[in-house]
Amino acid sequence: MQDNATLIDYIQQEMKVQIDDKIDPSKPRVRPVPRPGYAFRDNDRIQFQSRDFATMLWNKCGLRDRWTELWQHPKTGLDALYGDSVAITDRGMSGRHQPKARIRRAVGLSRNIRMYRYQNGQSFGAHYDESVTDMNDDEEGDGQETVSEYTVLIYLNGDKDSDLIGGETVFYPKGKKTTTSAVTGTGTGRQAMKKGAKGSKSSSAGVSEQADKDSNSASSMFYTLPNGGVAVKPQQGLLLVHKHGDECMLHEGLIVERGYKYVLRTDVVYEP
């Protein structure tokens, strides 16, 4: 990320105010029971609405300047230029439907800021992230709708700058992840498994073993699990972006085995 150290320090200070000063990790907690069809999660989390914070992140984390270089939008099978999104509309002419491409542009990050703290033993089960439509109807908004299309995760620490062990974010490109219920996920932690998919549940022990094998590889940032999952290791300043909504990959946050994991979550939003 651009301005890495300064930005991470700022977010860490905000994390302390929003989570550490409000939720004492040493106090006993009742183990949560997820709603039917939703993935299990027991991490500490705070969310707040701030357009100023979202704009600051968009401008300083590097996404605004690099979005045009990094992404092509796959939703319609057409290439989108400059990080825009292509939508197809039917416009009748002389009784005939004529598909027409319409460019939808990324306008920034969601004002819905989520801060997560995972401590020893905490995790987030396999799920899909949903796409959310928001109305910019606050005092600073322009009254226009936005639609979220990409999840943005900013990791605030890793095993090199803290005593964190575990907590990898694992993606299952083929949806091969065993869950307790085969339901269609609509997002925000909704549990899901594709029909006919078969897979074995990954274990934190298996992750640690594989990590040791790959420690000397060209990339220590991610590695492949025996069940086909791709694990991303928390690292301070790492910014992870992935598609969500209908094209979201099944993913989960593995158990933290030691220390704390701090993550900021928001979304890239587009014109409707």
Side-chain angles (χ1 to χ4, degrees):
M1 293 191 302
Q2 297 175 350
D3 302 324
N4 192 343
T6 301
L7 180 57
I8 291 299
D9 183 64
Y10 178 82
I11 298 174
Q12 286 176 332
Q13 292 180 36
E14 190 68 23
M15 186 78 73
K16 181 180 185 303
V17 171
Q18 296 292 340
I19 287 190
D20 288 341
D21 291 349
K22 295 180 179 179
I23 305 176
D24 185 349
S26 65
K27 289 186 177 180
R29 299 181 57 212
V30 177
R31 188 173 177 83
V33 178
R35 290 179 291 170
Y38 282 78
F40 173 80
R41 67 183 306 181
D42 58 353
N43 62 294
D44 300 318
R45 54 194 185 274
I46 293 287
Q47 69 179 48
F48 59 92
Q49 305 283 325
S50 174
R51 193 171 307 283
D52 287 342
F53 194 92
T55 300
M56 181 276 296
L57 277 181
W58 180 246
N59 291 335
K60 291 190 175 183
C61 73
L63 280 179
R64 184 195 66 180
D65 296 333
R66 295 201 62 197
W67 198 251
T68 60
E69 305 170 16
L70 294 175
W71 303 107
Q72 290 181 321
H73 196 289
K75 191 160 190 174
T76 63
L78 300 176
D79 289 343
L81 301 178
Y82 310 117
D84 300 334
S85 175
V86 177
I88 297 296
T89 58
D90 286 335
R91 295 191 178 183
M93 182 177 295
S94 301
R96 299 174 59 187
H97 289 288
Q98 297 185 352
K100 183 174 181 179
R102 177 174 64 86
I103 299 297
R104 298 167 56 242
R105 304 184 187 282
V107 297
L109 296 177
S110 170
R111 61 178 174 169
N112 185 20
I113 307 299
R114 286 139 285 181
M115 293 184 168
Y116 301 152
R117 181 184 66 193
Y118 294 81
Q119 55 182 298
N120 185 27
Q122 293 184 339
S123 63
F124 191 174
H127 63 283
Y128 295 115
D129 294 345
E130 71 179 347
S131 179
V132 177
T133 300
D134 187 24
M135 179 68 73
N136 295 327
D137 54 1
D138 56 15
E139 294 181 358
E140 302 171 355
D142 55 11
Q144 300 298 313
E145 285 187 348
T146 59
V147 180
S148 69
E149 301 214 5
Y150 291 87
T151 295
V152 176
L153 298 175
I154 298 178
Y155 297 87
L156 301 181
N157 69 304
D159 59 3
K160 292 181 175 61
D161 60 283
S162 70
D163 62 351
L164 172 65
I165 294 179
E168 292 89 343
T169 303
V170 180
F171 293 88
Y172 301 95
K174 296 182 180 180
K176 293 185 177 180
K177 168 67 184 179
T178 300
T179 61
T180 57
S181 177
V183 297
T184 301
T186 57
T188 54
R190 192 70 186 267
Q191 200 174 40
M193 185 173 69
K194 293 181 180 178
K195 292 182 178 180
K198 296 180 180 179
S200 60
K201 184 176 179 61
S202 62
S203 67
S204 56
V207 168
S208 298
E209 179 182 357
Q210 185 68 24
D212 290 339
K213 292 179 181 179
D214 288 356
S215 61
N216 295 323
S217 66
S219 174
S220 61
M221 194 175 299
F222 63 90
Y223 53 91
T224 303
L225 298 173
N227 66 357
V230 177
V232 180
K233 297 179 64 175
Q235 179 177 314
Q236 187 182 78
L238 174 65
L239 188 150
L240 174 65
V241 178
H242 68 86
K243 194 75 174 71
H244 65 218
D246 293 340
E247 298 174 47
C248 184
M249 281 191 292
L250 188 65
H251 60 287
E252 66 176 328
L254 296 185
I255 292 174
V256 169
E257 299 178 14
R258 188 183 72 188
Y260 294 87
K261 179 179 78 171
Y262 290 91
V263 184
L264 182 143
R265 155 81 194 272
T266 184
D267 311 300
V268 178
V269 295
Y270 279 71
E271 298 171 336

